[in-house]
């Protein structure tokens, strides 16, 4: 931990994958019902798997954009919590999605990386891939307003 972080932060436990999955179920109702699996957690890095379900498909045979954006938004929230476990009240202030290509009807992986975190704002990016595919299907950037409490 950095020496300049508040004493409150230094006392907070770090969240593991099981904690982040519980937070998704209990604190983020929409994405919590999707059955997300947190594959890895590090300081400022999170990988989330979205298990495929047929009800995620929209007209044209693609996975719905709102589903992908919801999971990416949750991934950004989890990124904030990896560095500021005391910031459960943090909220999205900006979310920008670039849909790059049609995802396969299969599980999706959301690789999140925190780009910057300050006292009041955090900025991150999430790159989404279909399982077994090297080309991203979506790239999302977002900003969170940090609120400890």
């Amino acid at each position: 931990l950095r020496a300049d972080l508040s004493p409150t932060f230094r006392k907070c436990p770090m969240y593991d994958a099981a904690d982040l999955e519980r937070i998704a179920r209990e604190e983020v109702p929409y994405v919590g019902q999707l059955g997300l699996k947190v594959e890895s957690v590090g300081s400022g890095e999170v990988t989330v798997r979205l298990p495929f379900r047929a009800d995620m498909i929209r007209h044209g045979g693609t996975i719905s954009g709102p589903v992908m954006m919801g999971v990416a938004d949750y991934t950004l929230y989890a990124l904030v919590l990896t560095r500021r476990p005391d910031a459960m009240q943090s909220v999205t202030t900006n979310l920008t999605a670039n849909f790059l290509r049609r995802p396969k009807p299969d599980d999706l992986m959301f690789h999140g990386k925190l780009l910057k975190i300050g006292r009041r704002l955090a900025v991150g990016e999430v790159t989404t891939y279909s399982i077994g595919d090297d080309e991203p299907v979506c790239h999302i950037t977002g900003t969170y307003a940090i609120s400890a409490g």
Side-chain angles (χ1 to χ4, degrees), residues 101 104 127-137:
R101 46 192 232 130
K104 295 177 189 175
T127 306
T128 306
Y129 298 86
S130 292
I131 290 293
D133 200 343
D134 293 335
E135 295 294 320
V137 298

Side-chain angles (χ1 to χ4, degrees), residues 3-26:
D4 62 334
L5 295 176
S6 72
T8 302
F9 175 74
R10 287 193 297 259
K11 292 178 186 174
C12 291
M14 297 303 289
Y15 295 111
D16 63 14
D19 293 326
L20 293 176
E21 289 174 6
R22 179 191 51 75
I23 289 168
R25 286 189 310 274
E26 296 175 4

Side-chain angles (χ1 to χ4, degrees), residues 17-47:
D19 293 326
L20 293 176
E21 289 174 6
R22 179 191 51 75
I23 289 168
R25 286 189 310 274
E26 296 175 4
E27 305 292 333
V28 190
Y30 173 71
V31 296
Q33 67 186 336
L34 297 175
L36 303 179
K37 301 294 179 202
V38 177
E39 299 284 316
S40 65
V41 180
S43 178
E45 293 189 35
V46 174
T47 300

